[in-house]
Amino acid sequence: MKNRAGFLASVTVLLVGLLFCGIPSFAADFDSILQRWSRTYTAKGDLGDVITITATYYSAEYIEALVQREAEKNLWTESELENYKLELLKALQLEEYIPIMLSFDMKGAPLRMAPFDNKVTLWVGGKKLSPADYDKRFNFKLSGKREGLVYFPRYDENGKSYLQGVSTLRLTIDGNIGPITMGKQIDFFWDVSQDDPSKLYRGRVAAQLELERLIKRLNQLKDQKSQLEEQLAGIEKEIETVEARIEELQKE
């Protein structure tokens, strides 16, 4: 996962582009949906420095709005819409992670957030989650604007969803990332009680994602089989060696 910086950067460009390209016929609805799932924190320093941080949670409603807005902009057919939705869901990896888009706009003294996975936390109920992956550009000194995805684990080691039975999420960013926010609490809250990502996985999109998961699992099983066969061959060879030595000793 550490080698995915380029992939995450390209995904970020795609998703951030969707946030800011307007479509008149859908703009009002999309803006209201974005407002429900986007949170903004702003702080000002004594010397005129200003920091603005925006966090956007990828709910089912928000993802569907992104897809519909892009479809209207490009006058897509139903098939083209489904193909785009499929690629978007694969990029967000909702079946494994809780993705959140973070946008920083720093006017003034630069931020220093490395290592970034130690600076951001997602509180799900009483559980504290650290990022499973994130845009590695957040580890570099930040002055100006930067956006990127942060992925938090969706399931615990037993396969149980962290979101099960949870109504509120809280994202916390360490205030020590810069002089303006030093000693301050940076929190973002979302009500996720009505969010249902399963609504996104229907029809051809669901079938294609399941097919890709099954192919991936099949390849994993084949690799495991190959490893076990090598181990078995090694054991059989050792058995032959031991039996041959036993026969030699018995003849003496």
Side-chain angles (χ1 to χ4, degrees):
M1 296 184 68
K2 293 182 178 179
N3 295 322
R4 295 170 52 226
F7 170 74
L8 291 180
S10 63
V11 171
T12 297
V13 171
L14 169 68
L15 297 178
V16 172
L18 289 175
L19 290 176
F20 298 107
C21 56
I23 300 173
S25 62
F26 197 68
D29 288 341
F30 180 81
D31 288 346
S32 64
I33 292 172
L34 174 61
Q35 188 175 10
R36 281 198 288 275
W37 298 106
S38 185
R39 303 287 183 266
T40 299
Y41 170 90
T42 301
K44 298 181 179 180
D46 296 335
L47 300 178
D49 293 2
V50 180
I51 183 174
T52 301
I53 306 174
T54 300
T56 304
Y57 176 79
Y58 282 88
S59 68
E61 178 189 40
Y62 179 59
I63 293 170
E64 198 63 62
L66 285 175
V67 173
Q68 293 298 328
R69 193 177 75 151
E70 191 71 359
E72 285 197 17
K73 183 185 74 172
N74 293 289
L75 301 178
W76 279 341
T77 64
E78 185 65 24
S79 177
E80 289 172 325
L81 182 151
E82 288 185 347
N83 287 336
Y84 175 80
K85 184 176 181 179
L86 175 63
E87 293 305 314
L88 178 59
L89 290 176
K90 286 164 62 176
L92 293 174
Q93 304 179 81
L94 295 177
E95 71 280 5
E96 295 183 57
Y97 305 111
I98 302 170
I100 294 175
M101 176 73 80
L102 287 179
S103 172
F104 292 85
D105 186 356
M106 184 63 234
K107 296 180 175 68
L111 304 176
R112 289 177 170 82
M113 304 188 292
F116 187 71
D117 52 346
N118 290 341
K119 299 295 191 296
V120 60
T121 301
L122 185 65
W123 293 90
V124 184
K127 297 182 178 64
K128 178 182 179 180
L129 304 182
S130 297
D133 200 5
Y134 61 94
D135 192 320
K136 299 305 185 293
R137 293 178 301 165
F138 287 142
N139 285 328
F140 296 97
K141 185 171 66 173
L142 195 163
S143 183
K145 296 182 179 181
R146 191 170 299 163
E147 298 93 0
L149 282 165
V150 183
Y151 295 88
F152 294 92
R154 185 174 290 270
Y155 299 96
D156 63 18
E157 61 275 8
N158 298 316
K160 181 181 178 181
S161 173
Y162 285 116
L163 296 176
Q164 184 175 332
V166 172
S167 59
T168 302
L169 295 184
R170 175 166 64 98
L171 180 73
T172 299
I173 298 177
D174 189 342
N176 293 327
I177 59 175
I180 297 180
T181 56
M182 190 74 67
K184 297 180 180 179
Q185 186 81 5
I186 306 176
D187 288 324
F188 305 92
F189 294 86
W190 293 276
D191 179 357
V192 296
S193 58
Q194 303 301 316
D195 184 34
D196 183 8
S198 66
K199 294 179 180 178
L200 298 166
Y201 296 88
R202 295 173 180 170
R204 190 175 69 84
V205 170
Q208 183 62 35
L209 287 172
E210 182 181 9
L211 175 61
E212 293 184 9
R213 284 196 298 270
L214 291 174
I215 291 174
K216 181 179 179 180
R217 179 56 179 161
L218 179 60
N219 290 333
Q220 290 175 341
L221 292 172
K222 287 181 177 179
D223 288 341
Q224 291 176 13
K225 179 184 177 183
S226 177
Q227 292 172 6
L228 290 173
E229 287 175 342
E230 291 180 3
Q231 293 177 13
L232 181 60
I235 291 173
E236 290 177 344
K237 184 176 181 180
E238 185 175 354
I239 289 174
E240 293 176 358
T241 301
V242 171
E243 288 179 340
R245 180 55 180 162
I246 290 174
E247 290 181 4
E248 292 177 0
L249 293 172
Q250 288 176 338
K251 292 176 180 179
E252 293 181 358

